[in-house]
Amino acid sequence: MKITKPTFSASVICTDPLNTERDILKLKDLGHKFLHIDIMDGNFVPRFGIFPEICQRIQDIAPDMHQDCHIMCDDVEFTIDQFSDIESITTFTFHIDGNEANSVRIIDKIRKNNKRAGVALNMGSNFESTVQLIKYLDLDFVLFLGIHPGVLDQVSKPSVLSSKIIEFRERLSEENIDSSSITIQVDGAVSFETIPALIDAGATFFVGGSSTIYKKPFSVEENSEKIKDMMDV
């Protein structure tokens, strides 16, 4: 299932850590279908993320919600093994930086587990390996990051992110690839203010947390309605 029109995915790591189940069930009741899972090992990025047991519990309480997993770990293949038995996990994204040589094997492993495969690009990542994976392996989606993953208190650069997405789509066109056929996900620069420009740039899958669904001082219900005015949930 490729997401080709604007759709929202709520970041689980932005829920109240002592009330994650409550927050997920509220999203479910509000009609949300996608949850973004940050998997971090403390080495690839300087933070720890969501563990397999949490994802399994999410499946237990909300089996119809899709879990979209972003892997930020040194050992990508080991991480896939730890999470792949959870049926409601539908996608695994890994970072192309440092994994170019093993990227085909990683994508094959993801697909053998009946999940969709995506590649994550940092602000400074080179496009070329990812373009070739789309061209020859029909990669399912690309995640553009508006901040460096795992580092808190950063200033996002949404205008730079929009420009990178436009440049990437132009590069796909040079290879005669229809950019509208691939899911372009964004994370780290997504807010109510930046979403319109990101949509115009070609983004279709939006990861949101403290600047959208959990934006203060508004309620989750109020923020959810605002999101629904802008995209699918």
Side-chain angles (χ1 to χ4, degrees), residues 55-74:
C55 291
Q56 181 60 59
R57 181 61 183 149
I58 291 171
Q59 177 174 291
D60 293 342
I61 66 169
D64 295 330
M65 297 187 80
H66 301 278
Q67 297 187 59
D68 153 41
C69 291
H70 175 195
I71 298 172
M72 294 164 274
C73 302
D74 283 338

Side-chain angles (χ1 to χ4, degrees), residues 124-221:
S125 297
N126 186 281
F127 293 157
E128 198 55 37
S129 296
T130 303
V131 170
Q132 299 307 310
L133 291 174
I134 295 169
K135 182 176 181 179
Y136 293 110
L137 293 183
D138 191 27
L139 187 71
D140 295 295
F141 69 100
V142 177
L143 166 59
F144 283 85
L145 292 161
I147 58 173
H148 194 77
V151 180
L152 300 176
D153 299 323
Q154 295 180 70
V155 177
S156 66
K157 301 174 178 64
S159 61
V160 176
L161 186 59
S162 294
S163 297
K164 294 279 283 187
I165 293 170
I166 292 169
E167 182 183 347
F168 180 73
R169 294 178 68 208
E170 290 173 348
R171 180 68 187 90
L172 292 180
S173 295
E174 291 173 3
E175 295 287 342
N176 296 315
I177 299 169
D178 180 5
S179 63
S180 66
S181 67
I182 186 166
T183 299
I184 296 180
Q185 187 178 47
V186 287
D187 186 7
V190 178
S191 69
F192 290 122
E193 293 73 28
T194 62
I195 285 171
L198 292 169
I199 290 175
D200 288 343
T204 54
F205 199 19
F206 296 81
V207 178
S210 59
S211 296
T212 51
I213 190 67
Y214 295 116
K215 184 174 183 177
K216 302 298 183 184
F218 308 102
S219 68
V220 171
E221 290 84 357

